[in-house]
Structure formats: C-alpha cells, structure tokens
C-alpha cells in the first residue's frame, strides 16, 4: 500500500468534512444528547464511504448525470434544510428552564435514522465534496486510487466517531438551557445559510 497516497486521502477527506454543516451539527447534537450515537456516526461514515468509492470509481459517469441530478438535489435539499432549520429555530425560541440532557425525551430510532439519512443524502454539498472533489483529486494518483479512497474513508470514520463520542465532554456545558438555545440557533442559521446558497446558485 502506498502510505503517502493513503495519508493524502485521509487529509483531504478530513479537510472537506470538518467544517460545520447540516450533517455535522446533527451528529454533534446526538452526541450531546447521547442518543443513538453509534448508529448515527456509523450511518454518516458509511454514507461517506459509499459516495467516496462511487466518486473514485465512476466519476466520469456521475459528471454525465449531473445536469439531471442537480436541480432535484438542489431544491429537494434546500426544502429539507429550511424545514430542519425552522425546527431548530423554534426549539431555540421555546427553550426555557433547566434542560437535563439525560432526562430529555429521545426521538424514536426510526425518526433519528431518517433525519440522519436525509441530512446526508439530500445535501448536494455532500456529493460535491465526496463524489466530485475527492473523485477528481483521486485521478492525480493513477494506479493508487484504492489507497486514496481508503484514506478518505478512514478520515470520515475518524471524524464522525470523534465528533459523536467526543461531544460527551461538552455535556456539562450544555446542562444550561441557554447553551442549548445558542446551539439550536447556530444550527438553524447553518441550515438556512446552506439552503440559501443552494437556491442562489440555481
């Protein structure tokens, strides 16, 4: 295995997903609440792995389909992000009293899993980062695309599980309702900004 290519893939993968976004904000929230953390992290990491492999192995075909997929992903993703942002904004507005993370009523696994999938697969930026950008960069390593893809996938697993399980260290801070309201407000703004970017690029 070419370790240089592997580490390059890992570095590039981490650099593209580390910025806060809809998916990352959701993983952070689940980690803080300690709700279905493993399932959420695994779903995000496996989804990234699938998309990275598709990008590395089938980029030319994907580029040919982009004109057809682009409007569907853009408007569908924007609609979902606007809805999810509104939900977070309402939570920030209504938040009051002592918020105990451990006592907070969890959403059902089905609802959590569906939200996780939607934030991943309905976000066109995920496809741009994993399929298009990583797929394009992998072409710079002819004969070593496997190592590049493996590195990028490893970076994705490391990031999501570190974010999900590392969030528990922040739980004392989030025992204050004001902190949760700030997080919900940040999440709402993040979702709306991403949705605006999607619609404005139409």
């Amino acid at each position: 295995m070419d370790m240089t290519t592997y580490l390059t893939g890992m570095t590039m993968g981490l650099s593209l997903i580390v910025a806060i976004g809809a998916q990352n904000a959701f993983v952070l929230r689940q980690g803080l609440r300690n709700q279905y953390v493993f399932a959420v992290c695994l779903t995000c990491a496996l989804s990234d792995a699938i998309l990275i492999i598709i990008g590395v192995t089938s980029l030319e075909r994907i580029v040919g389909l982009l004109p057809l997929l682009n409007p569907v992903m853009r408007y569908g993703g924007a609609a979902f992000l606007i809805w999810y942002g509104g939900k977070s904004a309402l939570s920030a507005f209504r938040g009051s009293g002592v918020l105990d993370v451990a006592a907070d009523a969890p959403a059902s696994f089905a609802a959590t899993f569906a939200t996780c999938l939607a934030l991943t697969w309905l976000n066109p930026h995920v496809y741009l980062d994993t399929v298009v950008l990583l797929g394009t960069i992998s072409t710079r390593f002819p004969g070593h695309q496997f190592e590049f893809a493996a590195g990028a996938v490893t970076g994705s697993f490391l990031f999501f599980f570190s974010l999900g399980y590392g969030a528990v260290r922040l739980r004392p801070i989030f025992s204050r309702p004001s902190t949760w309201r700030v997080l919900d407000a940040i999440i709402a703004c993040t979702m709306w900004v991403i949705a605006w970017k999607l619609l404005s690029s139409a």
Side-chain angles (χ1 to χ4, degrees), residues 62-143:
I62 297 299
V63 170
L65 292 174
L66 281 178
L68 299 175
L69 293 176
N70 188 47
V72 175
M73 294 305 305
R74 177 183 292 124
Y75 294 113
F80 178 80
L81 292 172
I82 291 171
W83 171 80
Y84 193 82
K87 180 180 177 182
S88 297
L90 185 62
S91 178
F93 179 76
R94 289 180 173 177
S96 62
V98 178
L99 180 58
D100 183 354
V101 177
D104 194 40
S108 68
F109 175 79
T112 301
F113 184 65
T115 301
C116 184
L117 288 177
L119 288 172
T120 301
W121 293 90
L122 291 181
N123 185 358
H125 286 188
V126 172
Y127 294 87
L128 176 63
D129 290 345
T130 56
V131 177
V132 179
L133 292 182
L134 290 178
T136 300
I137 295 171
S138 71
T139 61
R140 296 171 53 191
F141 304 93

Side-chain angles (χ1 to χ4, degrees), residues 11-27:
T11 301
M12 292 304 304
L14 285 170
S15 66
L16 289 175
I17 64 175
V18 72
I20 187 170
Q23 190 184 47
N24 296 350
F26 181 74
V27 174

Side-chain angles (χ1 to χ4, degrees), residues 30-83:
Q30 292 303 119
L32 289 168
R33 293 181 178 274
N34 196 27
Q35 295 173 2
Y36 314 118
V37 180
F38 180 82
V40 167
C41 293
L42 184 62
T43 299
C44 291
L46 285 177
S47 296
D48 264 14
I50 292 171
L51 292 171
I52 289 168
I53 293 172
I54 290 174
V56 171
T57 60
S58 309
L59 180 61
E60 291 184 3
R61 295 179 182 178
I62 297 299
V63 170
L65 292 174
L66 281 178
L68 299 175
L69 293 176
N70 188 47
V72 175
M73 294 305 305
R74 177 183 292 124
Y75 294 113
F80 178 80
L81 292 172
I82 291 171
W83 171 80

Side-chain angles (χ1 to χ4, degrees), residues 78 81-82 189-202:
L81 292 172
I82 291 171
C189 291
T190 300
M191 304 299 174
W192 288 338
V193 167
I194 296 174
W196 178 79
K197 287 182 178 180
L198 291 177
L199 295 175
S200 64
S201 63

